[in-house]
Amino acid sequence: MTAALTTTPAAPAAARQLRWLLRLHRPALVTGTVATLLLGAALLWLGGPLTDASAAAWKDFNACGFNPRCSYDQDSILLYKDLYTYTTFAVLVVPFLVAAWAGGSLTGRETESGTARLAWTQGVSPVRWLVSRLTFPAALTVTATGLTAWLHRRAWTAGEHRIDTIKPWYDAATFYANGTVPVALALTGLALGVLAGLLLRRAMAALATATVALGVLWALVHAALPYLWSPVTMVSALTSGPSGSGLHVGEGVLTADGDRLAAPCLSGAMDSCRATLDELGAVSFYRDFHPAAHYWPLQLVASGILLAVAALLTYAAFQVVRRTTATARG
């Protein structure tokens, strides 16, 4: 009975916070929902009827050979290419929109206008206020980004080996849009925006700071990505050049002593190149790369790093709230 009495007040308070959050950010919620649905519909069309039409057009094109009188559906090929580019960009831009919204509206506007402090004086603890600003938006963020990333991968898989100009799995934009990184990046953007709003207490400054900081973080992860998992090394003869398809890490020449040197040229079949390679004492080419089997290990390690950063940023946000309210009381 005692436990019931102590836990009952928390539920109405949480419900009130959720209703207030929905009312305050209704335009963003409606806009985000509509945008997610439109992007989802475009990806379903891309991975379904449009892939079939484009694949049929490529089949006709390849059957035509050099016959100038042969016709094929070029519009479907071009439309597939354009829509794939636009939807891939849309999937990747979502985390930045989350960061901008979290910084500019979710906490930045409330701290700037003073509504946050007003809520703290009306029976809502600062910690509970911050929890409400993180949990519900985080659930929506995971749902929206996870759904669009899954649909993007589904669309890309449907066109693999059927569309001649389809992007390879290691294409940078395709690599990220097809996996878990957009979800982890969006959650990190949410945490960045919340922290920026609490620290700067200015909506526009928090919006800009969170967006730029997320871009810098993504650039760092992208630069470190090839080294997050041990690559595969393929050695090839000097006459054939470096070989191995996938996400490249590095390449060069090997000497008889096993030393790795930068390759001055990549075709030992050419006399000039072969002479240069002989001067270096090169005996073979090598290439370090990640094959397709490394896709998910790379995705999961990169996502884990981003989620760890998000957790640290969230912890920092709670510390800022506690310090701010303690200072105000003192």
Side-chain angles (χ1 to χ4, degrees), residues 20 110 113-124 129:
W20 169 250
E110 290 198 53
S113 63
T115 55
R117 287 187 177 274
L118 178 63
W120 300 345
T121 60
Q122 294 184 345
V124 179
W129 174 87

Side-chain angles (χ1 to χ4, degrees), residues 17-192:
Q17 277 295 300
L18 179 58
R19 287 195 298 270
W20 169 250
L21 195 64
L22 291 174
R23 187 180 303 114
L24 184 63
H25 299 285
R26 185 180 299 166
L29 179 62
V30 172
T31 302
T33 301
V34 171
T36 301
L37 292 175
L38 289 176
L39 177 57
L43 288 168
L44 286 172
W45 182 39
L46 177 70
L50 190 53
T51 292
D52 294 337
S54 182
W58 274 112
K59 186 177 180 180
D60 293 340
F61 173 81
N62 292 327
C64 284
F66 296 99
N67 184 358
R69 298 182 179 180
C70 190
S71 63
Y72 62 96
D73 187 4
Q74 185 180 26
D75 291 340
S76 293
I77 293 176
L78 296 177
L79 182 58
Y80 177 92
K81 180 180 178 181
D82 290 341
L83 188 60
Y84 183 87
T85 300
Y86 298 146
T87 53
T88 301
F89 173 79
V91 171
L92 297 180
V93 82
V94 168
F96 293 94
L97 298 178
V98 171
W101 172 72
S105 182
L106 191 60
T107 56
R109 187 173 66 178
E110 290 198 53
T111 52
E112 182 177 10
S113 63
T115 55
R117 287 187 177 274
L118 178 63
W120 300 345
T121 60
Q122 294 184 345
V124 179
S125 70
V127 170
R128 185 177 297 168
W129 174 87
L130 182 56
V131 168
S132 69
R133 266 63 186 169
L134 285 169
T135 52
F136 185 63
L140 292 180
T141 297
V142 170
T143 301
T145 55
L147 176 63
T148 53
W150 176 75
L151 288 174
H152 187 279
R153 181 168 184 81
R154 177 181 176 274
W156 177 83
T157 303
E160 191 180 14
H161 307 305
R162 299 175 63 198
I163 309 296
D164 287 19
T165 53
I166 194 169
K167 297 292 185 180
W169 69 267
Y170 49 85
D171 170 73
T174 298
F175 177 91
Y176 290 115
N178 274 353
T180 56
V181 167
V183 179
L185 196 68
L187 288 174
T188 307
L190 175 65
L192 264 173

Side-chain angles (χ1 to χ4, degrees), residues 257-283:
D257 297 330
D259 296 331
R260 291 187 169 202
L261 302 175
C265 52
L266 299 177
S267 178
M270 299 176 59
D271 292 339
S272 59
C273 181
R274 186 55 185 261
T276 304
L277 294 175
D278 288 341
E279 291 178 3
L280 292 175
V283 295

